[in-house]
Amino acid sequence: MTLSTAASEAALLRDALALAVDTPVALLSREPFGDGAIAGFEVATPGVAPLTYFVDTSRRVVSQETGMLLGSPTAPECRIWVHPADPYLPALAPAAFSQAAETLLARLGVIAIEPPRIVGYRAGRRAVLRVAVRGGVRWIKVVPPRRVERIVDTHRRLADAGLPMADLDGWSADGLVVLDQARGTGAPDVAWRPDALLDAVDRLRQALAAVPLGHAARVGLAERRDWYVARFREGSDSARAARVADLLERVSRAWRDDEPRETIHGDLHFGQLFLDGNGEISGLIDVDTTGRGDPDDDAAAFIAHALASAYLTPEGRDARVWELARGALARWGSGPVRARATTLLLGQVLGAQERGRDDAAADLLALAEGVLDPARPIDRPRHEPT
């Protein structure tokens, strides 16, 4: 069985839960994973608080099932679980809904004063929990257990090399990493100047490149590009599918695959940065993806995130993010960088399309086309996002 669209995954969920035809099932997220995808849906049934279910068509084997399985444990066709019982993140449910997080913090000499709260989650990949503690805040990152030692080692190596990392308080082999608050203020909340922030990012990228890590960065953009090709072919109207096919053909011509040659962040954007009072980068977070790779990937991630953020910023409220995105394109926008940034923006297009937001999908596709064409101005699209 192959489940290749959000609609078919929603139908599978309805069938598995025996939902009435009028029960609302809303798509929340969908990402490529393994040989398929993980799609999240909110299900609202009368008299019951909405629940979030995930439909996993990756065909990956897990050490322990936490929900409903179609197929055999060694050849799974599909699995469904209720958040937060993620089979790839076995520490998530205990950390979120039991005393596991508080117990771990207590062993580190940190006393929690409130239960942990999930503030970020990518199904199958990672979760971030915020915990109020005596004297401040701690952050608990939940990752697949097989990756935790490498993440901890990467964090320590970057800190030893002088990168502005938050203090690492401790970790557990179950897949928990405990971090102190990053120093400074999150970049989205600071009155930075676009050129000055880009200068600071250049210095940060140079410092990262000098750290001798032996493992590869976790980017996977080439695989994501191929996944988008299939998904747009299946789920788009013919006119949009033709535009995307043409765009992806041009992306393929501009793409360049080099051997990993220097340390990159792997998911660099201004939301990962904290700044001090002088506008210098005083904190870098989310180094789970960090390793040796192509520096074009960091440039592309920064550009694509800035453009998507600019689009989501109401018109007239803050023009800086548009200026930041245009400045990053002017500074780093080689052909291969533009190809990668376009691929990332197509992920935003696909997400909007699958949520039924055709206006946003059209706007973001126009932005993606503009990124790939250096002669085309990058302007605010015609629709106002909601």
Side-chain angles (χ1 to χ4, degrees):
M1 176 178 59
T2 299
L3 299 172
S4 57
T5 68
S8 60
E9 291 153 1
L12 174 61
L13 180 63
R14 285 183 177 279
D15 183 63
L17 300 181
L19 298 176
V21 293
D22 59 347
T23 301
V25 175
L27 179 70
L28 299 177
S29 62
R30 191 166 185 263
E31 287 194 75
F33 198 80
D35 293 333
I38 297 180
F41 298 91
E42 183 179 80
V43 177
T45 53
V48 180
L51 293 173
T52 300
Y53 289 85
F54 286 89
V55 179
D56 171 16
T57 59
S58 69
R59 299 179 180 267
R60 289 187 175 179
V61 175
V62 297
S63 59
Q64 183 175 353
E65 295 293 346
T66 57
M68 185 183 306
L69 177 69
L70 298 181
S72 72
T74 57
E77 296 178 1
C78 174
R79 64 173 55 89
I80 298 171
W81 73 83
V82 182
H83 179 62
D86 188 324
Y88 303 98
L89 305 177
L92 178 57
F97 292 112
S98 76
Q99 295 183 330
E102 291 94 325
T103 299
L104 176 60
L105 289 169
R107 289 173 181 166
L108 300 172
V110 179
I111 306 302
I113 59 176
E114 292 179 4
R117 178 168 57 91
I118 299 175
V119 296
Y121 175 55
R122 292 182 65 193
R125 301 179 188 275
R126 66 185 180 194
V128 178
L129 295 83
R130 183 185 188 277
V131 188
V133 302
R134 287 182 186 173
V137 170
R138 291 295 186 276
W139 300 90
I140 297 178
K141 183 162 287 190
V142 185
V143 299
R146 61 185 171 76
R147 293 185 53 214
V148 67
E149 289 191 29
R150 196 187 80 170
I151 290 170
V152 169
D153 180 67
T154 298
H155 189 103
R156 287 173 172 163
R157 284 174 176 267
L158 294 179
D160 289 345
L163 273 294
M165 310 300 297
D167 292 337
L168 175 65
D169 286 340
W171 60 282
S172 162
D174 295 332
L176 295 176
V177 180
V178 181
L179 298 164
D180 202 345
Q181 180 76 10
R183 299 170 184 84
T185 304
D189 301 318
V190 177
W192 39 261
R193 291 183 299 105
D195 283 347
L197 180 56
L198 292 173
D199 288 342
V201 171
D202 272 332
R203 291 191 289 273
L204 175 70
R205 294 178 66 196
Q206 290 169 6
L208 278 167
V211 181
L213 295 182
H215 60 266
R218 296 177 60 86
V219 179
L221 261 183
E223 294 83 358
R224 205 176 308 179
R225 180 190 62 194
D226 296 339
W227 193 80
Y228 294 156
V229 170
R231 293 319 181 265
F232 278 112
R233 187 184 303 121
E234 294 158 354
S236 301
D237 63 72
S238 57
R240 183 179 299 154
R243 287 172 65 189
V244 170
D246 175 70
L247 191 60
L248 284 167
E249 176 61 30
R250 291 161 56 203
V251 162
S252 296
R253 291 198 299 267
W255 198 274
R256 182 194 69 204
D257 281 317
D258 285 346
E259 288 296 320
R261 58 184 186 274
E262 63 185 50
T263 296
I264 64 172
H265 183 277
D267 186 26
L268 186 64
H269 55 78
F270 67 87
Q272 311 280 33
L273 308 177
F274 286 68
L275 306 180
D276 64 19
N278 297 317
E280 292 297 324
I281 296 172
S282 56
L284 175 67
I285 63 173
D286 287 349
V287 297
D288 308 21
T289 52
T290 299
R292 295 189 68 79
D294 189 330
D296 286 352
D297 286 329
D298 272 356
F302 195 95
I303 290 166
H305 182 274
L307 283 169
S309 297
Y311 172 68
L312 293 170
T313 301
E315 187 171 5
R317 196 188 78 182
D318 191 348
R320 291 182 312 158
V321 188
W322 283 107
E323 199 176 332
L324 181 71
R326 294 186 185 107
L329 261 175
R331 186 178 295 217
W332 305 322
S334 66
V337 167
R338 287 174 178 267
R340 283 164 157 75
T342 299
T343 301
L344 289 166
L345 283 170
L346 284 176
Q348 299 282 341
V349 177
L350 184 61
Q353 175 177 288
E354 292 187 332
R355 291 191 296 273
R357 285 296 318 279
D358 282 342
D359 55 347
D363 288 344
L364 290 163
L365 179 53
L367 276 177
E369 290 170 329
V371 167
L372 199 58
D373 184 356
R376 187 167 168 174
I378 300 295
D379 295 319
R380 176 178 286 278
R382 63 184 180 275
H383 299 109
E384 183 70 15
T386 58

